[in-house]
Amino acid sequence: MTNWTAVDDELARWTDLGRRCAFWLRDDDAIAASPQLDRLLHRCAQAGIPLGLAVIPADAEHSLAEALAGHPNVTPLVHGWSHADHAAPGKKKCEFGPERPADIRQAESERGLSVLRALFGDRLLPLFVPPWNRMAADMPSRLSAAGYRAVSAFGPAPASRDGIAWVNTHLDLIDWHGTRSAVPLDGLLDLLCRELRDRREGHQEGRGTPAEPIGLLTHHLVHDAAIWDLLDRLLDRLAGHPAVEWPAVGSLCRS
């Protein structure tokens, strides 16, 4: 059995049960219009799926808002402040980690929200995407106080949510610690099958709730041909499948 066959079989089980699994796509590090961004926008439009676009506030340019003008299904998100690493030596990269005073972190998150609201208006979703998908444990409550409705990181959503919604991603298409190209297809499809099966069977065990949407994660500015091809193959299988739905990104923000 090929891994694609395993995915198709798992989706067929959802169809037989009359159920649909929610998916969403988040792309990080947007700052300006570019050929790579155009390619991503047109691919999502072609597939008929919404896109959550995480924008770095400190570097965001007006050309980005102009590029999104003709793509109503793209929702801008707040990607930290400047995507700067403030972690202690030897620690994993982090912009909003515990090494920095909480008041400064909250102020930067508020600034990011303000800057992108000025750029995108009501189109901006007050959803915070911490750079490198990590942040200090007190940040959810700080973000809530700053006016955010949701957070998106990577992996299972935490059991304790501090009054803020979590809309995480679960499948990263890039092999950051190896080739920095596309992750191996077999491994990615194994993970996809596990995510689908866990939601169908109602498994929790620290992996979020069964209704948690499966999030795909991309970074358009660093895509090579293999990453684009992997994204195309996933969307060819998942976009329009009767067992799959792609809700509007804003509708996912429930705590």
Side-chain angles (χ1 to χ4, degrees), residues 94-160:
C94 189
E95 184 173 22
F96 288 81
E99 295 87 356
R100 305 177 71 204
D103 288 348
I104 291 177
R105 288 186 271 115
Q106 181 172 330
E108 284 194 353
S109 71
E110 291 173 347
R111 188 180 180 189
L113 194 59
S114 176
V115 165
L116 293 188
R117 274 180 172 155
L119 184 60
F120 296 110
D122 292 340
R123 184 171 185 174
L124 179 74
L125 184 66
L127 183 154
F128 187 81
V129 179
W132 299 286
N133 291 300
R134 59 179 69 95
M135 60 186 182
D138 66 343
M139 277 303 296
S141 61
R142 292 279 177 170
L143 292 169
S144 181
Y148 286 89
R149 290 171 46 201
V151 175
S152 180
F154 188 83
S160 176

Side-chain angles (χ1 to χ4, degrees), residues 55-77:
V55 181
I56 301 172
D59 298 326
E61 300 180 7
H62 286 286
S63 68
L64 181 59
E66 294 168 358
L68 301 189
H71 295 273
N73 288 330
V74 179
T75 300
L77 316 170

Side-chain angles (χ1 to χ4, degrees), residues 8-249:
D8 290 340
D9 288 349
E10 179 56 40
L11 289 172
R13 295 184 183 97
W14 281 77
T15 300
D16 291 343
L17 292 169
R19 296 173 57 191
R20 303 178 77 192
C21 184
F23 279 76
W24 79 296
L25 174 61
R26 192 188 96 204
D27 184 88
D28 288 2
D29 299 349
I31 55 175
S34 68
Q36 299 97 317
L37 179 63
D38 283 345
R39 180 170 180 175
L40 178 67
L41 296 178
H42 285 96
R43 186 63 182 95
C44 290
Q46 180 186 49
I49 65 168
L51 170 67
L53 189 66
V55 181
I56 301 172
D59 298 326
E61 300 180 7
H62 286 286
S63 68
L64 181 59
E66 294 168 358
L68 301 189
H71 295 273
N73 288 330
V74 179
T75 300
L77 316 170
V78 184
H79 197 21
W81 167 242
S82 63
H83 212 299
D85 179 22
H86 297 286
K91 298 292 185 179
K92 291 182 178 180
K93 292 181 177 180
C94 189
E95 184 173 22
F96 288 81
E99 295 87 356
R100 305 177 71 204
D103 288 348
I104 291 177
R105 288 186 271 115
Q106 181 172 330
E108 284 194 353
S109 71
E110 291 173 347
R111 188 180 180 189
L113 194 59
S114 176
V115 165
L116 293 188
R117 274 180 172 155
L119 184 60
F120 296 110
D122 292 340
R123 184 171 185 174
L124 179 74
L125 184 66
L127 183 154
F128 187 81
V129 179
W132 299 286
N133 291 300
R134 59 179 69 95
M135 60 186 182
D138 66 343
M139 277 303 296
S141 61
R142 292 279 177 170
L143 292 169
S144 181
Y148 286 89
R149 290 171 46 201
V151 175
S152 180
F154 188 83
S160 176
R161 304 197 176 197
D162 296 311
I164 199 165
W166 284 77
V167 191
N168 278 3
T169 54
H170 310 87
L171 303 173
D172 193 334
L173 275 60
I174 301 177
D175 180 11
W176 294 104
H177 302 294
T179 64
R180 299 184 73 84
S181 183
V183 294
L185 178 62
D186 287 351
L188 184 69
L189 296 183
D190 284 344
L191 290 174
L192 174 56
C193 279
R194 186 179 71 179
E195 296 288 345
L196 285 164
R197 184 177 61 250
D198 283 357
R199 284 160 179 76
R200 176 176 55 81
E201 296 179 349
H203 290 178
Q204 297 187 40
E205 301 175 353
R207 294 181 54 76
T209 66
E212 182 182 6
I214 297 175
L216 309 180
L217 178 59
T218 60
H219 289 71
H220 66 276
L221 288 174
V222 299
H223 285 195
D224 61 12
I227 300 168
W228 286 117
D229 179 67
L230 179 57
L231 178 61
D232 284 342
R233 296 174 74 178
L234 284 170
L235 295 185
D236 285 345
R237 293 279 180 148
L238 297 174
H241 193 286
V244 173
E245 61 182 358
W246 297 83
V249 176

